Amino acid sequence: LSKQAARMELLFTPAIKKRGAYLIDTCFIAEDVELIEDSGGDGCGFVPRGYIEKLLGNREVGKRTFGLQVRIFVPTLGIFKGMLMEKDGISEIQLPTSTMQKVDRSIYDEASPEGTLLVKGAFPSQHNYSVARILRGEEPAKAWAPSSGMQTDIVPHVLEDNGVPRGVVSEYRNEMGNIAQTRDW
């Protein structure tokens, strides 16, 4: 029952807003997709640069974005959840069925090939940029607030796994706590 509930929850995923509009492509069709096998073990799908800029525009945000966290709903394909990473040399969105497909395609022959692509996140995010600024010893953006789980964030683990000394990681954790307590949000 919990897996069934988790699949139903996909239908209630909120989309992010950019420039005042929700990032949802309601003109998404099965022909825009190539189903692939997951060959690298990373589990993500791939998206052409042009599609990212179609969704986000070709200004600063659209140009710097290289990853999209998505939900895709197309009756003739199924329901997909996961990350799409920019990939050169492709013209269609590539979805690995073994890792991203959460619900099989419709069993009805009359099922529509039209569907929706919803963007839940775009990366690098403002959070990513603010953490990078902190790691460089700079102030994060004024509008940025660390999430409530920031002290146990994955960032310290990634830093340690990549050889950053524990003392430096401890200073990072302390600094994150100090920023959360001293900033006027």
Side-chain angles (χ1 to χ4, degrees):
L1 187 61
S2 63
K3 190 169 187 173
Q4 189 177 24
R7 299 305 179 239
M8 294 290 286
E9 186 178 22
L10 293 172
L11 301 173
F12 297 99
T13 302
I16 61 170
K17 275 186 168 181
K18 293 285 184 197
R19 297 183 314 272
Y22 288 104
L23 288 181
I24 300 174
D25 181 356
T26 56
C27 298
F28 194 77
I29 56 174
E31 293 173 6
D32 294 335
V33 174
E34 176 186 358
L35 299 178
I36 62 171
E37 290 299 317
D38 183 15
S39 58
D42 53 14
C44 71
F46 301 100
V47 62
R49 160 70 20 211
Y51 191 78
I52 293 173
E53 290 183 5
K54 172 186 166 187
L55 285 173
L56 298 172
N58 62 357
R59 299 177 95 151
E60 183 183 350
V61 173
K63 288 189 182 300
R64 74 173 183 226
T65 298
F66 58 81
L68 300 172
Q69 184 179 15
V70 298
R71 305 296 186 262
I72 299 172
F73 309 92
V74 181
T76 55
L77 298 176
I79 298 177
F80 294 79
K81 168 188 170 185
M83 289 294 298
L84 297 177
M85 302 303 291
E86 178 184 351
K87 183 177 179 183
D88 290 333
I90 62 172
S91 58
E92 301 171 320
I93 291 176
Q94 297 178 338
L95 299 174
T97 54
S98 60
T99 53
M100 287 186 68
Q101 188 173 32
K102 304 305 177 189
V103 177
D104 286 337
R105 65 181 301 282
S106 172
I107 60 172
Y108 297 102
D109 293 335
E110 304 83 33
S112 175
E114 298 174 356
T116 300
L117 181 140
L118 176 147
V119 179
K120 183 173 174 19
F123 298 93
S125 65
Q126 278 306 122
H127 177 81
N128 298 142
Y129 280 110
S130 291
V131 170
R133 289 178 61 98
I134 290 167
L135 292 173
R136 288 192 306 262
E138 303 168 6
E139 277 288 311
K142 292 189 185 333
W144 180 75
S147 62
S148 60
M150 201 60 167
Q151 292 295 323
T152 59
D153 190 50
I154 194 170
V155 173
H157 301 291
V158 172
L159 294 173
E160 286 180 10
D161 289 347
N162 284 287
V164 176
R166 286 185 188 262
V168 174
V169 174
S170 293
E171 285 181 37
Y172 165 78
R173 288 180 193 234
N174 290 338
E175 185 65 24
M176 292 306 296
N178 292 340
I179 289 170
Q181 292 169 7
T182 60
R183 298 264 329 250
D184 180 21
W185 306 109

